[in-house]
Amino acid sequence: GQTCFVDVDSVNRDCEINAVVKAEYVASGGTSNGFNLNAQMDLSDQSDPTTKPTNSPLRQNDPKNRMFCGTDWNDASSNCVRERFCPNGDSDCEDGMTCQGYTQCNAVGMTALPT
């Protein structure tokens, strides 16, 4: 099939969806059902997106909940913060740190809002 660009201001006779959109736009009195086709979003109050995908939820008793980054096990166990949680292993850790298992930390309840 061909690629159709939907636009209410032009008609592509070879593109069926364009005709449908144009007809709905005209039938709505040119208001696009309340949507402003030329609207721009104000993103000034938006937070930055996450830099990597978020992790899948883990069961409460999953051993991965106790995996945290540190220069060694003691460092990891002494710094129980969400930023050091490493359920995917060393790739979750900053340079100079490795993922330590069975630490004194527990990620259960350490959540953040998605971005």
Side-chain angles (χ1 to χ4, degrees):
Q2 79 178 44
T3 301
C4 291
F5 296 96
V6 178
D7 184 355
V8 297
D9 294 323
S10 64
V11 175
N12 179 348
R13 297 187 197 292
D14 298 325
C15 185
E16 182 179 336
I17 189 69
N18 189 268
V20 171
V21 169
K22 178 83 172 181
E24 289 178 358
Y25 178 75
V26 170
S28 71
T31 63
S32 298
N33 296 324
F35 293 102
N36 180 352
L37 298 177
N38 298 315
Q40 295 182 359
M41 288 182 71
D42 177 13
L43 300 178
S44 61
D45 65 341
Q46 300 291 320
S47 60
D48 292 331
T50 52
T51 57
K52 55 185 174 182
T54 55
N55 297 309
S56 300
L58 299 172
R59 287 181 297 213
Q60 196 161 1
N61 62 347
D62 192 313
K64 287 184 177 183
N65 285 322
R66 302 178 69 81
M67 296 173 65
F68 284 78
C69 300
T71 55
D72 58 24
W73 184 88
N74 288 323
D75 179 54
S77 290
S78 299
N79 293 285
C80 302
V81 292
R82 184 180 49 83
E83 292 77 18
R84 287 194 175 197
F85 180 48
C86 56
N88 302 308
D90 290 341
S91 63
D92 288 335
C93 298
E94 293 180 9
D95 289 341
M97 295 186 191
T98 56
C99 189
Q100 307 292 321
Y102 300 99
T103 66
Q104 299 297 315
C105 307
N106 194 328
V108 173
M110 287 186 179
T111 58
L113 295 174
T115 58

